[in-house]
Amino acid sequence: MSLNEANSAFQDADFADDLKIGDIERPAERAYQGIRRAILKGILPSGAHLREEALAQMTGTSRTPVREALRRVVAEGLARADNRHRYVSDFSFKEVSIVFDIRIRLESFAARVAAENITDSELAELDHILAEIDRIENVGQPAATERFAELNSRFHNTIIKATRSMQMQTLSAQAVSLPLEVIKQFVWEQTVNIAQSNDQHRVIVTALKQRNPDWAENAMAGHILSTKPHRPSIMPRG
Amino acid sequence: MSLNEANSAFQDADFADDLKIGDIERPAERAYQGIRRAILKGILPSGAHLREEALAQMTGTSRTPVREALRRVVAEGLARADNRHRYVSDFSFKEVSIVFDIRIRLESFAARVAAENITDSELAELDHILAEIDRIENVGQPAATERFAELNSRFHNTIIKATRSMQMQTLSAQAVSLPLEVIKQFVWEQTVNIAQSNDQHRVIVTALKQRNPDWAENAMAGHILSTKPHRPSIMPRG
DNA sequence: CGACATGACTTTGTATACAAATATCGTATG
DNA sequence: CATACGATATTTGTATACAAAGTCATGTCG
């Protein structure tokens, strides 16, 4: 494999700046963010061998937090582990597509369970998020996309938490984190439609308010389905 | 919280013997198996604070492999993480039940994808596993249950691998590991029916051989559904 | 010329010392 | 008597030294 170029590529550059991790002080978080961003930015390309010492240097920490970060990154699906080593996952269209299909099943089930367990204060929180998303201006600008990504995450997480199941939260976090990151990076610039997305959010919240599990499940499935990339061409790294 | 008793409970006992980890030499694996078994055996009860130093002593390793093991245990859902600390998850009927519902959706989708991607050699492997399960004798004895658990895991993992998706494998591993462990511990003694289970396995394999995604999906869903505990009474812990 | 043994080098695994954060408990004070 | 404070102990976080395992290239022997 031609992985050596990939590794030598970050030996002499100022990555703390490029990866915007300069102000993160906790080494574990710093290492995690640094590795994650390096993968998503393509600095660490698919298949690249994740060497602990090199990553420690890259992120300005030691191997201990790097090892911890690597476990997170592997658990998220951004990298894969093999005997002793770890390698950057490939984000082929097929892989991203399948994770979306999993997410559709997982999160629509979460919406179903949430419909039976959500509290009034959580419903209020969802209303608040809807309003915040409506307030986003300069649609299309990076800042707006970033803001939407944050609120969108909160929306989905609030529903998942409303299932009152730790296991659901654990599993969903992993199924959701990868597509959200990959999408934010590759897909949204071209396809995200904030207004349409929030219309769907509103439908989901209405279903939840009526404590209607079937409707909530269906609405969530439709929502995620609409965000699933359906053309390989939009995956630059596929 | 009354967690102190739980922790003092393993300070003076010979756990290497009780947990059958005496012959595992790699510390990381030793720590992982020791912690996992201690949780499943109830030595570390739900809510117990997992202290690194105490676990290191318990498993006869140092904190480094323990920390690594704890990450695995948390990822599997056997424990939950909070700021800095980790605690044993609770295996309430509700939690176990929901993980089964997730598994139904995840693995039936895996069967669907597998039907379109499985190789002849994997189908042969599945046939081999079916035959091995048929050969199990002394049904009801612990050794037979243990053997079935192993072959059953291989069966399900072979299908998941046949999806040709790393992400599917990563996510499924986490959704499947917890129920399989908990079930082996609490449910199977009372409800497992090896012959019935293998009949269902055979149907799934037939569907896969015919490359029939709908059938494979449905058969897998039915199979897992049939193993899902439906009475709270069979959950001793909760 | 090829297969294989050998040894240097690379990479990960483990233990441990120390630092930082947090919890605990006793004491003083309003 | 309740509470706030502070010293002390506990627990986790980080860095690093060393061990073990694996890789790769080189050279020797068949």
Side-chain angles (χ1 to χ4, degrees):
Chain A
M1 292 192 227
S2 62
L3 304 178
N4 291 331
E5 321 87 69
N7 295 313
S8 61
F10 56 82
Q11 295 293 7
D12 50 357
D14 181 7
F15 282 90
D17 191 56
D18 190 31
L19 298 172
K20 296 178 198 162
I21 55 175
D23 52 344
I24 300 172
E25 52 317 90
R26 277 170 40 237
E29 191 63 19
R30 188 184 163 88
Y32 168 67
Q33 297 289 347
I35 295 168
R36 197 173 64 89
R37 290 198 173 116
I39 291 173
L40 290 170
K41 283 205 170 203
I43 296 168
L44 294 167
S46 291
H49 184 176
L50 296 168
R51 291 187 176 82
E52 297 176 0
E53 184 55 41
L55 295 172
Q57 277 186 243
M58 180 184 94
T59 59
T61 66
S62 75
R63 279 177 56 215
T64 307
V66 164
R67 299 189 103 228
E68 198 162 311
L70 283 176
R71 301 222 152 252
R72 288 178 69 181
V73 163
V74 168
E76 271 182 353
L78 255 44
R80 62 179 202 278
D82 153 31
N83 288 350
R84 302 156 47 132
H85 305 280
R86 289 118 190 154
Y87 305 90
V88 177
S89 298
D90 68 315
F91 307 103
S92 62
F93 175 72
K94 181 174 142 282
E95 286 289 358
V96 172
S97 180
I98 218 164
V99 177
F100 266 86
D101 286 329
I102 291 170
R103 232 190 110 197
I104 287 169
R105 289 160 173 78
L106 211 54
E107 276 202 76
S108 65
F109 176 58
R112 157 174 290 278
V113 177
E116 295 162 335
N117 292 283
I118 197 164
T119 64
D120 288 340
S121 90
E122 281 166 338
L123 286 169
E125 163 76 1
L126 291 176
D127 274 333
H128 175 70
I129 295 170
L130 295 183
E132 284 292 309
I133 292 177
D134 278 334
R135 284 183 46 213
I136 295 175
E137 292 176 1
N138 301 115
V139 173
Q141 298 300 104
T145 302
E146 186 65 38
R147 176 76 177 141
F148 174 67
E150 182 205 325
L151 290 165
N152 188 54
S153 278
R154 272 176 55 194
F155 180 84
H156 286 270
N157 283 332
T158 300
I159 292 173
I160 288 163
K161 223 184 291 179
T163 60
R164 302 273 164 279
S165 163
M166 284 304 300
Q167 299 295 333
M168 176 70 90
Q169 287 174 59
T170 303
L171 285 169
S172 296
Q174 312 207 338
V176 173
S177 61
L178 175 67
L180 247 47
E181 287 300 336
V182 172
I183 286 248
K184 201 169 70 182
Q185 202 69 23
F186 299 132
V187 183
W188 274 358
E189 283 80 5
Q190 303 156 54
T191 63
V192 73
N193 184 329
I194 294 180
Q196 170 197 301
S197 214
N198 220 24
D199 284 346
Q200 296 175 324
H201 286 168
R202 244 183 295 273
V203 173
I204 292 167
V205 172
T206 306
L208 291 173
K209 280 181 180 167
Q210 297 191 7
R211 320 277 168 178
N212 185 330
D214 292 327
W215 187 14
E217 180 171 19
N218 172 278
M220 180 63 86
H223 171 47
I224 300 172
L225 199 48
S226 78
T227 66
K228 176 184 167 185
H230 55 285
R231 290 167 303 153
S233 59
I234 62 178
M235 291 292 305
R237 297 229 234 125
Chain B
M1 291 191 228
S2 62
L3 304 177
N4 292 330
E5 322 88 68
N7 295 313
S8 60
F10 56 81
Q11 295 293 5
D12 50 357
D14 181 8
F15 282 88
D17 192 56
D18 190 31
L19 298 173
K20 295 178 195 160
I21 55 175
D23 53 343
I24 300 171
E25 51 319 85
R26 276 169 40 237
E29 191 63 21
R30 186 184 164 87
Y32 169 67
Q33 296 290 348
I35 295 168
R36 197 173 64 89
R37 290 197 173 117
I39 292 173
L40 291 170
K41 284 204 168 204
I43 296 166
L44 295 167
S46 291
H49 185 177
L50 297 167
R51 291 187 176 84
E52 297 176 359
E53 183 56 40
L55 295 172
Q57 277 185 241
M58 181 184 95
T59 58
T61 67
S62 75
R63 279 177 55 214
T64 306
V66 164
R67 298 188 105 229
E68 198 162 312
L70 282 176
R71 299 218 152 255
R72 287 178 69 181
V73 164
V74 168
E76 271 183 351
L78 257 43
R80 62 180 200 280
D82 155 31
N83 289 349
R84 305 158 45 141
H85 306 280
R86 289 117 189 158
Y87 305 89
V88 177
S89 298
D90 67 314
F91 306 104
S92 63
F93 175 73
K94 181 175 142 284
E95 286 289 355
V96 172
S97 181
I98 218 165
V99 178
F100 266 86
D101 286 329
I102 290 170
R103 233 190 108 198
I104 288 168
R105 288 161 174 79
L106 211 54
E107 275 202 75
S108 64
F109 177 57
R112 158 174 290 278
V113 178
E116 294 162 336
N117 293 282
I118 198 164
T119 64
D120 288 340
S121 90
E122 281 165 337
L123 286 170
E125 163 75 0
L126 290 176
D127 274 333
H128 175 70
I129 295 170
L130 293 184
E132 285 292 309
I133 292 177
D134 279 334
R135 284 183 47 214
I136 294 176
E137 293 175 2
N138 302 114
V139 174
Q141 297 300 104
T145 302
E146 185 64 38
R147 176 76 176 141
F148 174 66
E150 182 205 323
L151 290 164
N152 189 54
S153 277
R154 272 176 54 194
F155 180 84
H156 287 270
N157 283 332
T158 301
I159 291 173
I160 289 164
K161 223 183 294 179
T163 61
R164 303 274 163 281
S165 163
M166 284 305 300
Q167 299 295 334
M168 176 70 89
Q169 288 174 58
T170 302
L171 285 168
S172 296
Q174 311 207 338
V176 172
S177 61
L178 174 68
L180 248 47
E181 288 300 335
V182 173
I183 288 248
K184 202 168 70 182
Q185 203 71 21
F186 299 132
V187 184
W188 274 357
E189 282 81 4
Q190 303 156 54
T191 63
V192 72
N193 184 330
I194 295 181
Q196 170 198 301
S197 213
N198 219 25
D199 284 345
Q200 295 176 325
H201 286 168
R202 244 183 296 272
V203 173
I204 293 168
V205 173
T206 305
L208 291 173
K209 281 180 180 167
Q210 298 191 9
R211 322 276 168 176
N212 186 329
D214 293 326
W215 187 14
E217 180 171 20
N218 171 277
M220 180 64 86
H223 171 49
I224 299 173
L225 199 49
S226 78
T227 67
K228 176 184 167 185
H230 55 286
R231 290 167 303 154
S233 59
I234 62 179
M235 292 291 305
R237 298 228 234 125

